[in-house]
Amino acid sequence: MEYFVIIISAIFVSNIVLTQFLGICPFLGVSKNISTSIGMGAAVMFVMTLATMSTWLFQYYLLNPFGLGFMQTIVFILVIAALVQMVEIILKKVSPALYQALGVYLPLITTNCAVLGVAILTIQKQFNLIEGTVYAISTAIGFTLALVIFAGIREHLDLMEVPKGMRGVPIALVVAGILAMAFMGFTGLV
């Protein structure tokens, strides 16, 4: 039951983008079409899961035993940067089309505060390794869900007549706000 609560909470109730406002840069930048959003979501899921597992191990087997907890943020950022480089190399070999589609947005995962935020929240919530991994995967699913929904709406908006002053980023921000309010409806679910 505890894992179910973590999953539902991370995906819907405490969506990392729409309720905690982490990962806004890729949320707005990559959400212009659904296929790129799905690719970005998959890359974030891979990096977020590996980063959370790695940082948890670093925290409990290196930082805490040696009294180096004050270095948590720096160590976590270095681990995340290394993982993103690994994902970039893998994507370049495995899926050049996706690598090209993501383009400049792939390095955004390095600076995606959602990845760092989940790693830190896992430690703050005192999750064990399995709970932290479930939390990271669920949070990445929630991130991808929000990204794909937002991309679908933005694709639809491109076909609509939007007032000239609202085209582009202004309407995207209004839609993001409405989407965040819609996700607030899940509050109290768990």
Side-chain angles (χ1 to χ4, degrees):
M1 185 65 175
E2 185 176 332
Y3 294 114
F4 180 73
V5 171
I6 291 172
I7 292 167
I8 296 300
S9 177
I11 295 173
F12 299 110
V13 179
S14 298
N15 187 286
I16 197 82
V17 177
L18 299 173
T19 61
Q20 298 182 32
F21 308 113
L22 295 173
I24 295 294
C25 185
F27 178 72
L28 293 173
V30 182
S31 61
K32 292 181 180 161
N33 66 48
I34 293 175
S35 61
T36 306
S37 297
I38 291 171
M40 180 65 158
V44 166
M45 182 179 301
F46 181 70
V47 171
M48 192 177 284
T49 304
L50 283 179
T52 301
M53 291 168 44
S54 301
T55 55
W56 189 93
L57 292 170
F58 270 88
Q59 182 72 37
Y60 287 102
Y61 290 106
L62 181 69
L63 299 179
N64 286 355
F66 294 106
L68 299 172
F70 63 92
M71 294 187 68
Q72 179 187 59
T73 304
I74 294 168
V75 170
F76 285 14
I77 288 171
L78 292 173
V79 168
I80 291 166
L83 287 171
V84 169
Q85 289 300 315
M86 184 177 74
V87 168
E88 192 169 2
I89 291 167
I90 291 170
L91 274 181
K92 196 172 189 178
K93 288 188 179 228
V94 173
S95 179
L98 180 57
Y99 176 77
Q100 289 294 335
L102 290 175
V104 71
Y105 299 113
L106 190 57
L108 282 177
I109 297 175
T110 305
T111 58
N112 187 346
C113 56
V115 177
L116 178 62
V118 168
I120 291 173
L121 285 170
T122 299
I123 303 302
Q124 287 178 349
K125 293 181 181 207
Q126 297 179 345
F127 286 146
N128 63 36
L129 184 59
I130 295 171
E131 291 170 339
T133 304
V134 168
Y135 178 69
I137 292 169
S138 302
T139 302
I141 290 170
F143 177 85
T144 304
L145 176 68
L147 198 63
V148 170
I149 290 171
F150 191 56
I153 293 170
R154 285 183 78 177
E155 281 185 358
H156 190 7
L157 282 173
D158 288 343
L159 305 173
M160 307 290 294
E161 281 192 42
V162 177
K164 189 176 182 180
M166 289 296 291
R167 290 184 189 142
V169 175
I171 194 69
L173 292 173
V174 169
V175 168
I178 293 170
L179 191 56
M181 287 191 298
F183 268 70
M184 285 178 63
F186 294 114
T187 304
L189 189 64
V190 289

